[in-house]
Amino acid sequence: MKLEANLVKQGMLSKKDLEKALTISRQTYRSLPLVLVENGFVEEEPLLRLLADQHGLNFVALGELVIDDAAIRSVSAKFASHYLIMPVRLQAPVLTIALSDPLDMSPVEDIQTNLGYQVERVLACRSDILDAIRRSYGIGADTVEKILQESSHEEAEPVAESHDLAKMADDASVVSLVNQLLQEAIDERATDIHFEAGRDSVDVRRRIDGVLYPAHVASNIRVLYPAIISRIKLMARLNIVERRIPQDGRSRVTVGGKNYDLRISVVPALHGENVVIRILPTTMLFNLEELGLSPAHRAALGELINQPHGLIFVTGPTGSGKSTTLYACLRQLNQPGRKIITIEDPVEYELKGITQTQINPKIGLTFATALRSMLRHDPDIMMVGEVRDRETAEIAIQTAMTGHLVLSTLHTNDAASGAVRLIDMGIDPYLITSTVRAFAAQRLVKTICTKCKESYEIDGATRYRGTGCKACKQTGYSGRIAVCEFLPLKPEIQELILDRASSTVLREKAMALGMVSLAQDGQEKAARGITTLEEVIRVTSI
């Protein structure tokens, strides 16, 4: 039975959709199975299983298959990527390949003619084949092979001359390779990409959900590393010749129809320059509900930011999501009747309707000097990216005392340590109690992947975990949310601050007054199946 009739008989496709697909196939000269999948007429896996039965082939799940190293070595990355096939097993003279279109015989003929193997075909999903190519050959391996063939570079001889780098960094293939590395990182939800040069190798790692994971890149990418770094520098308008001092820059790229800001930092290292690229979506909807705050915490924060004046501090270590929380507050406060000014280092996201200033210590534009000047711009609300020193703290407090709402961050481990940190900076306790409304502390915990989430019993309690799947790259986690604690400065807390009490005493009193700690908030989220107890322990040390 023909494929068309079989699809209709199996109820996978209506006659009307079949006619549409056949028309597209004739007009574009593309095979019917490809048209059906690309245009969303049918799901790929059931279609391939049907085709496998029809053509007497096997359907395989490549992600669950152990791929033969000899098979990978027998076919170049360029060949595999060009035909979108994955060599699976080599038992000479037979080479087994996975492909997604059984009607395309071009790769079979090419392998038989040029490589001399007999070919056995199995069917696999297109996305699984792409994943397998990246895993087996490395990201951009086909592009690396193409560049090396065209430029005739020896594998052990990296490009070194500055004028060669300038020329090569603009080469379409090098541009394509850098774009592939960026595209792959963005597709994997990475927030940072790390390029690290070794003596004979290059490591590329990506930070996903707060954890660095190695990216499998082509082994011979070391040859092109100087050209890759030069291309990244050109994107950020940095000096490609200067390799002795750190450089920082920015760039903007479009991937999948979305714009991203890239913050690029280059530092000299022992075996070359290391680069970190921070990936920031240019448009991001900051929402208090989506931060993961509990209803009680959300209500408390909402009440605090609607006060006409005062200081609110969000505390936590680097990477704990403090800036994201402040941006979410600003988005809620951003109304036509209010003037909002921010002073940041650096400006991470652009917020429409808000005046954002990036500090520049090299020219004397510090948090303190910027804050002093911005007061002349008649703001209602101000955000100071971070209070780092006494001068900035004093001006922020004076700003709050003169009728402004000020939001800022501190680097402390918990909410109770916020007041102690300000006193250590030299701020009088009475100024803290008269201006600061609350200290909030937070951490980010990874959330359980919803695709592979399961419950289990332990010690009579129900727990949840992710078993690991393709969607979460076998980690069991996907995404992050905040766990928080809020310490409002109630009269009892203010008295202790005036007495210069320790953070331990402040914390005990706050807990007695009903404060939900970071650990307790995390445990509650673990009990609800949002995260795991192991993850809460990792970030809160309970």
Side-chain angles (χ1 to χ4, degrees), residues 411-423:
H411 279 286
T412 64
N413 287 327
D414 58 18
S417 300
V420 176
R421 176 82 179 99
L422 290 174
I423 292 171

Side-chain angles (χ1 to χ4, degrees), residues 30-275:
R30 296 168 75 79
S31 69
L32 180 61
L34 205 57
V35 168
L36 288 170
V37 174
E38 285 185 348
N39 291 274
F41 289 111
V42 295
E43 293 293 325
E44 186 176 24
E45 185 172 328
L47 173 63
L48 289 180
R49 289 186 181 279
L50 184 65
L51 282 167
D53 288 340
Q54 191 169 315
H55 289 269
L57 303 174
N58 290 324
F59 175 83
V60 297
L62 273 182
E64 301 169 4
L65 215 60
V66 177
I67 296 174
D68 185 2
D69 287 339
I72 296 169
R73 289 193 297 270
S74 69
V75 176
S76 70
K78 186 179 176 183
F79 187 101
S81 297
H82 175 73
Y83 284 116
L84 196 63
I85 64 156
M86 184 63 214
V88 173
R89 185 173 58 253
L90 177 61
Q91 291 180 325
V94 179
L95 175 67
T96 303
I97 63 169
L99 69 170
S100 61
D101 187 355
L103 305 181
D104 183 7
M105 296 301 293
S106 303
V108 175
E109 293 166 359
D110 205 338
I111 290 171
Q112 289 173 341
T113 302
N114 295 306
L115 301 182
Y117 294 116
Q118 297 175 23
V119 178
E120 180 182 83
R121 296 178 300 158
V122 295
L123 295 188
C125 291
R126 182 186 178 90
S127 59
D128 287 349
I129 293 172
L130 285 169
D131 283 344
I133 291 173
R134 283 194 290 264
R135 283 198 316 271
S136 302
Y137 293 101
I139 303 163
D142 57 322
T143 308
V144 173
E145 284 184 6
K146 178 183 175 185
I147 297 170
L148 294 178
Q149 286 172 7
E150 290 178 354
S151 58
S152 301
H153 281 287
E154 293 298 323
E155 191 165 317
E157 187 182 324
V159 185
E161 295 299 322
S162 60
H163 62 274
D164 289 338
L165 287 179
K167 181 180 177 183
M168 202 169 182
D170 273 329
D171 181 85
S173 296
V174 174
V175 171
S176 174
L177 178 58
V178 173
N179 289 348
Q180 280 178 270
L181 292 166
L182 288 171
Q183 169 94 54
E184 178 79 11
I186 289 169
D187 288 346
E188 295 289 328
R189 299 181 297 104
T191 55
D192 305 83
I193 316 173
H194 294 239
F195 294 85
E196 298 158 334
R199 183 182 296 277
D200 302 310
S201 62
V202 170
D203 291 326
V204 179
R205 297 190 291 169
R206 301 174 298 203
R207 191 175 295 280
I208 302 168
D209 294 336
V211 179
L212 279 172
Y213 295 96
H216 182 45
V217 295
S219 58
N220 49 1
I221 201 171
R222 182 68 177 93
V223 183
L224 299 171
Y225 188 64
I228 292 169
I229 298 305
S230 292
R231 172 59 193 164
I232 294 170
K233 285 182 176 180
L234 285 177
M235 291 170 62
R237 297 182 178 86
L238 302 177
N239 185 348
I240 68 167
V241 178
E242 181 56 73
R243 303 188 190 100
R244 300 164 300 169
I245 60 174
Q247 297 187 72
D248 295 300
R250 300 183 79 132
S251 182
R252 178 172 285 199
V253 296
T254 302
V255 175
K258 294 182 180 179
N259 293 324
Y260 295 86
D261 275 332
L262 307 180
R263 287 217 317 265
I264 296 167
S265 177
V266 184
V267 297
L270 185 61
H271 299 294
E273 292 175 292
N274 285 4
V275 177

Side-chain angles (χ1 to χ4, degrees), residues 310-316 318 322-323 326 343-345 359 366-369 371 382-400 405-412 417-427 432 435-436 438-439:
L311 249 170
I312 301 168
F313 283 106
V314 180
T315 75
T318 301
K322 302 186 298 295
S323 296
L326 292 185
I343 304 163
E344 306 173 58
D345 180 27
I359 71 163
T366 63
F367 279 115
T369 54
L371 185 53
M382 296 196 70
M383 183 186 93
V384 182
E386 183 186 344
V387 168
R388 298 176 178 173
D389 51 49
R390 178 177 178 173
E391 186 182 10
T392 307
E394 285 177 340
I395 300 170
I397 285 171
Q398 289 167 12
T399 303
L405 179 65
V406 182
L407 309 178
S408 191
T409 70
L410 278 173
H411 279 286
T412 64
S417 300
V420 176
R421 176 82 179 99
L422 290 174
I423 292 171
D424 287 343
M425 286 182 186
I427 304 300
I432 299 172
T435 56
V436 178
F439 293 98

